[in-house]
Amino acid sequence: ETGVTQTPRHLVMGMTNKKSLKCEQHLGHNAMYWYKQSAKKPLELMFVYSLEERVENNSVPSRFSPECPNSSHLFLHLHTLQPEDSALYLCASSQDREGTQYFGPGTRLLVL
Amino acid sequence: GENVEQHPSTLSVQEGDSAVIKCTYSDSASNYFPWYKQELGKRPQLIIDIRSNVGEKKDQRIAVTLNKTAKHFSLHITETQPEDSAVYFCAARDYGGSQGNLIFGKGTKLSVKP
C-alpha cells in the first residue's frame, strides 16, 4: 500500500487558487501517469511520463500542468480550475509503458 | 483508437453465488487486459490480468476469460463474499491511437449480500 503515495488526500480550492498535487513512487518504476476519475465515467488518462519525458498529453486543458523532476516524483500543478474539474485524481506508475500499473490512493479535489 | 464497453454497470448477488462481468473492446491489436478492484474510498488495485496468447487465467476464486475472435473478455468471481463488494474496472491496452495506453471501462459496482 505504500508503493505509490499521493498528497494531499483531499483538497478544496477556489477557482482563482493555485495548488499542486504530488505523487511519489517507491517501486523503481520508469513510467508515471495522471488519471482523472469522475463519477459514472471511465478513468481518463491525462498525462504519461516515461523516463521523465512527457510522452502523452490527452488534450488536457492548460489549467492542468504536469511536472516530472525525476523518475520517482510527479506533480500536477493546478490553476484557475472550474467546478467541473472536481474529481478524484489518481497517480499510477509502471516499470515501463508495457508494465502493470500501480495506483496511488488519489487526491479528492473539490473546486468551488 | 480503442473503445471498451463494460456490463453490467451494477450487479447484486447473494453471498456464495457467482458474479460475471463482461467487457468488449474494439482494437484487434490489443494484447493485454487487466482487471482492477476499487473498494470505496480506496485506490484501484490489480486483481488479475490476461494476455492475448492465453484464453483463460485463474487465481483462486477469480478467473478471466478472453475471446479474441469476438473481442470480449470476462471476469468470473465464484463463491462471492461480502468483501468482494467493490467497483470493478476492466481495461484494454490500445495500440491503435494511444501508443499502448490503457483504456478503461466505466466500471461495475458489485454488491454481495450476506
Side-chain angles (χ1 to χ4, degrees):
Chain A
E1 290 291 334
T2 59
V4 182
T5 59
Q6 289 185 245
T7 55
R9 295 294 309 276
H10 301 272
L11 179 62
V12 180
M13 59 187 291
M15 290 189 285
T16 58
N17 291 159
K18 288 185 180 182
K19 296 285 184 183
S20 295
L21 310 185
K22 179 183 176 182
C23 175
E24 184 173 0
Q25 57 96 0
H26 310 272
L27 301 169
H29 289 168
N30 293 313
M32 296 186 77
Y33 312 79
W34 279 116
Y35 286 91
K36 177 183 179 182
Q37 186 175 36
S38 306
K40 299 185 179 180
K41 293 178 72 175
L43 278 164
E44 299 173 63
L45 181 65
M46 300 175 72
F47 301 104
V48 181
Y49 277 81
S50 179
L51 297 171
E52 302 159 41
E53 295 289 327
R54 189 193 308 182
V55 296
E56 190 104 9
N57 174 353
N58 274 6
S59 302
V60 180
S62 59
R63 56 187 184 267
F64 295 91
S65 175
E67 178 189 2
C68 187
N70 55 62
S71 60
S72 298
H73 293 86
L74 185 65
F75 293 89
L76 187 62
H77 303 299
L78 317 172
H79 65 96
T80 59
L81 294 191
Q82 304 298 312
E84 59 263 30
D85 296 323
S86 299
L88 181 67
Y89 288 85
L90 290 162
C91 173
S93 72
S94 60
Q95 184 60 52
D96 52 41
R97 290 293 304 280
E98 299 279 318
T100 299
Q101 292 185 24
Y102 296 88
F103 285 86
T107 295
R108 175 70 63 186
L109 174 66
L110 178 61
V111 181
L112 300 176
Chain B
E2 179 71 277
N3 182 48
V4 176
E5 297 287 338
Q6 183 172 348
H7 299 280
S9 56
T10 60
L11 179 60
S12 182
V13 299
Q14 207 66 35
E15 183 177 359
D17 288 350
S18 295
V20 181
I21 303 170
K22 299 181 179 180
C23 288
T24 61
Y25 62 98
S26 59
D27 182 6
S28 57
S30 291
N31 65 0
Y32 175 65
F33 308 91
W35 285 90
Y36 285 84
K37 174 184 180 183
Q38 187 175 25
E39 297 177 66
L40 188 63
K42 295 192 175 181
R43 73 189 75 199
Q45 291 195 301
L46 180 75
I47 54 171
I48 196 167
D49 57 12
I50 191 168
R51 298 187 186 273
S52 58
N53 56 345
V54 297
E56 184 176 6
K57 184 176 179 180
K58 286 184 179 180
D59 183 3
Q60 299 182 331
R61 297 186 296 107
I62 294 173
V64 57
T65 58
L66 172 65
N67 183 326
K68 284 199 66 181
T69 303
K71 290 190 279 189
H72 67 72
F73 56 111
S74 299
L75 178 71
H76 304 254
I77 306 174
T78 58
E79 301 172 27
T80 54
Q81 301 167 4
E83 52 264 39
D84 295 327
S85 297
V87 179
Y88 292 81
F89 295 94
C90 65
R93 194 176 294 287
D94 179 14
Y95 289 104
S98 60
Q99 302 177 45
N101 294 330
L102 289 180
I103 306 300
F104 286 84
K106 288 186 177 182
T108 296
K109 183 177 182 180
L110 173 65
S111 300
V112 180
K113 298 180 179 179

